[in-house]
Amino acid sequence: MKPPRSVENELILGLVSISDRASRGEYEDKGIPTLEAWCRKAITTPLKIHKRLIPDERFDIEKTLRELVDIIGCDLILTTGGTGPARRDVTPEATLAVATREMPGFGEQMRAISGHFVPTAILSRQVGVLRETPDHAALILNLPGQPKAIAETLEGLKDKDGNPSVNGIFSAVPYCIDLIGGPYIETNEEVVKAFRPKSARKHAEKPQEAAVPPAPPAVEKKPVRQEESPKTTVSEAAPRSEEKQAPEVPPAKPSFDARDLLVVRPRTGGDPELAVIWLHGMGVDNTDFAPFPDEILGFDGPVCRFILPNAPMREMSMHPGYPLRAWYDVPGRSIDENEDARGIRESAKRVAQLIDEIEAQGVPRSRIVLGGFSQGAAISLFAGLRMERPIGGVAALSGYLPLAGRLFSEATPGGRRTPIFMAHGEFDSVVPPVIAARSAEVISQVDPAMIARTYPMDHELCQEEMHDLAAFLRNIAERAAS
């Protein structure tokens, strides 16, 4: 599958910080913020960034790198942390394990740059590799863990006049991405200058040529999204039907912009049996559950086409000044205090519209499932119980029912007939188990057939839960086929 670029030459970038303590929340991670700030300063090409904070576990590192390359479609992945000689430092081993070819020059140059500052640079084991699939390739680079060393490694060293004295590794990255079939990366030369042979440089267009067709940019972007990404298949049916309307009737606005929809399918398994709309949690994005179709299939679930929408960016009351993706605000001291009714209802309305758009493409409602994790689970329960007509099912992991006191008056006949699977961790530190249990009790009053399960875990997933979720989806697929 080709990377789903929103615009031509967009660089799909993966940033991975590897730290046991930071991933447990014992201290603030500085790796990803440093990498992101440098990349946005240095790269002038359009960027789409996917971030991961994970522990020093080889399995987790390998799984994350495979996901970012094989499923997300990253062209470049920068990791930070875990490259020393300590026993827990396994980033190089994990990187080499997923590699198809090694690029030793990157590691050599990184150590050479760091050697100008500290003699212990020789203890660093950073590597650079390629991971190649049949129709895509990515460059993966291990960077140092210290923020100052990250910038030095990427930019290189400069003399007192500001001229490069030792080339940073990023000078060679754009041309490497060219050679493996990625986008044409351009840089801010005040930060780092990309080197390419003259024959590989794109000639700048003359000013007068910019206004001359062959095709305006908006026309060029649309075929790229149609051919390279399945995102547009979700809402593309609406504009075609609206072309027949009278000119004075404004076209209906799609529930989600195509750029905020990611559609993924398992790499094996045949035609999808279900269409699953899956909503991510607060503070992440729609790529968080991109591996789910393969994982569901691995637990003997049905073949599912997952439609992953992005929540809007919003400033949260709990973190003013730091916008993040969230389905609604959390203005109270707890999640069920002073609830953001307007934000909850707006998100639920958009999700219900997305279901209608999928149905309009020919997918029966009995084969459409709505689900999510944390805040995404909350919106799934709220929206699913208010559907005018039932859908195949609702799956809510580590979530709760917002505005629970209003359910009895607002639950619809369609919502009451929709199967519900609700799963929660017994030690959940984000959504307290007592709130989840109270939600399940309220829902059971309008939907006695709902399934509620608890598992010995925190705000996360576990194998037993995945097995039960796969079985729930399998039952929906079998019922729809009968």
Side-chain angles (χ1 to χ4, degrees):
M1 181 182 73
K2 294 182 179 180
R5 305 189 198 281
S6 301
V7 296
E8 185 181 5
N9 270 337
E10 179 180 60
L11 173 65
I12 304 178
L13 173 65
L15 303 178
V16 183
S17 184
I18 300 159
S19 168
D20 284 331
R21 294 174 61 195
S23 65
R24 290 195 298 263
E26 294 178 11
Y27 65 79
E28 183 180 1
D29 173 60
K30 296 182 179 179
I32 287 177
T34 299
L35 285 171
E36 181 174 9
W38 188 91
C39 290
R40 293 196 182 280
K41 178 178 67 172
I43 301 171
T44 59
T45 302
L47 279 176
K48 189 173 190 178
I49 299 179
H50 301 273
K51 295 173 278 191
R52 300 289 187 272
L53 174 59
I54 59 176
D56 287 281
E57 295 288 350
R58 178 167 171 173
F59 174 81
D60 291 335
I61 300 170
E62 290 183 23
K63 180 182 178 182
T64 298
L65 296 178
R66 289 191 180 100
E67 172 205 345
L68 289 172
V69 178
D70 301 359
I71 298 175
I72 306 302
C74 288
D75 307 294
L76 172 65
I77 299 173
L78 304 177
T79 75
T80 175
T83 59
R87 293 195 177 188
R88 292 289 292 170
D89 293 334
V90 294
T91 301
E93 285 77 13
T95 304
L96 291 169
V98 304
T100 51
R101 286 189 287 172
E102 187 175 1
M103 304 289 287
F106 283 105
E108 295 164 3
Q109 186 68 359
M110 283 189 266
R111 285 180 282 276
I113 293 170
S114 297
H116 283 266
F117 300 96
V118 291
T120 52
I122 60 175
L123 302 180
S124 174
R125 301 186 302 115
Q126 292 110 318
V127 298
V129 305
L130 299 179
R131 176 169 175 80
E132 299 153 302
T133 65
D135 52 7
H136 178 57
L139 174 63
I140 306 174
L141 300 175
N142 300 154
L143 297 176
Q146 294 299 319
K148 184 174 181 292
I150 289 173
E152 292 167 347
T153 300
L154 292 167
E155 294 178 25
L157 308 179
K158 297 179 180 179
D159 59 25
K160 59 182 181 180
D161 297 322
N163 298 315
S165 58
V166 178
N167 290 320
I169 63 166
F170 205 85
S171 297
V173 168
Y175 186 47
C176 181
I177 299 295
D178 291 350
L179 294 174
I180 62 175
Y184 190 89
I185 303 173
E186 298 181 277
T187 63
N188 177 357
E189 294 190 3
E190 293 183 1
V191 180
V192 62
K193 183 176 181 179
F195 176 83
R196 286 181 174 91
K198 289 184 179 180
S199 60
R201 297 173 192 167
K202 282 189 176 181
H203 297 290
E205 293 183 355
K206 297 178 183 179
Q208 64 269 26
E209 292 176 344
V212 176
V219 176
E220 293 174 355
K221 294 176 188 176
K222 188 174 180 181
V224 172
R225 291 201 297 270
Q226 288 177 331
E227 295 172 4
E228 297 184 3
S229 168
K231 295 181 194 176
T232 54
T233 62
V234 175
S235 57
E236 196 66 28
R240 284 198 295 269
S241 62
E242 290 160 2
E243 290 173 1
K244 301 177 182 179
Q245 298 177 1
E248 64 271 12
V249 178
K253 184 179 179 181
S255 55
F256 291 89
D257 188 282
R259 291 171 294 182
D260 280 326
L261 285 173
L262 175 65
V263 180
V264 288
R265 304 172 179 83
R267 285 168 286 186
T268 59
D271 294 332
E273 300 169 69
L274 299 177
V276 181
I277 300 171
W278 195 265
L279 311 181
H280 62 76
M282 183 178 71
V284 294
D285 61 22
N286 57 6
T287 62
D288 209 40
F289 284 90
F292 241 38
D294 286 310
E295 293 174 1
I296 293 295
L297 200 58
F299 281 95
D300 200 28
V303 179
C304 298
R305 177 173 67 113
F306 269 70
I307 299 98
L308 309 172
N310 260 336
M313 295 293 292
R314 66 175 79 228
E315 187 172 310
M316 306 293 286
S317 297
M318 65 176 73
H319 299 298
Y322 295 93
L324 49 77
R325 292 198 181 278
W327 296 104
Y328 52 89
D329 192 12
V330 184
R333 289 172 297 178
S334 64
I335 57 177
D336 60 346
E337 177 185 349
N338 191 24
E339 295 181 85
D340 176 20
R342 180 177 178 179
I344 292 166
R345 292 187 187 281
E346 286 178 351
S347 289
K349 183 178 180 181
R350 294 178 70 196
V351 170
Q353 184 182 342
L354 179 58
I355 290 174
D356 291 341
E357 291 168 5
I358 294 173
E359 183 185 17
Q361 295 176 13
V363 180
R365 292 179 76 87
S366 61
R367 292 188 180 274
I368 299 175
V369 177
L370 175 61
F373 181 84
S374 195
Q375 258 203 3
I379 292 297
S380 298
L381 289 170
F382 185 90
L385 287 161
R386 289 163 173 79
M387 294 286 174
E388 293 183 6
R389 292 175 293 136
I391 58 175
V394 172
L397 310 186
S398 300
Y400 70 105
L401 177 64
L403 305 175
R406 304 182 193 181
L407 179 64
F408 296 104
S409 61
E410 295 181 0
T412 59
R416 294 169 186 262
R417 299 202 310 273
T418 295
I420 294 177
F421 172 76
M422 190 173 177
H424 210 81
E426 296 170 359
F427 315 113
D428 197 313
S429 56
V430 177
V431 179
V434 64
I435 294 179
R438 189 161 60 238
S439 296
E441 182 179 354
V442 171
I443 295 170
S444 67
Q445 299 301 310
V446 301
D447 190 346
M450 76 163 294
I451 301 170
R453 298 280 187 269
T454 59
Y455 306 89
M457 63 178 186
D458 199 330
H459 195 66
E460 56 189 340
L461 304 175
C462 69
Q463 289 196 359
E464 184 182 358
E465 177 188 36
M466 290 297 295
H467 180 272
D468 291 345
L469 173 61
F472 176 72
L473 295 175
R474 170 57 63 194
N475 286 337
I476 294 172
E478 290 175 351
R479 188 165 55 248
S482 62

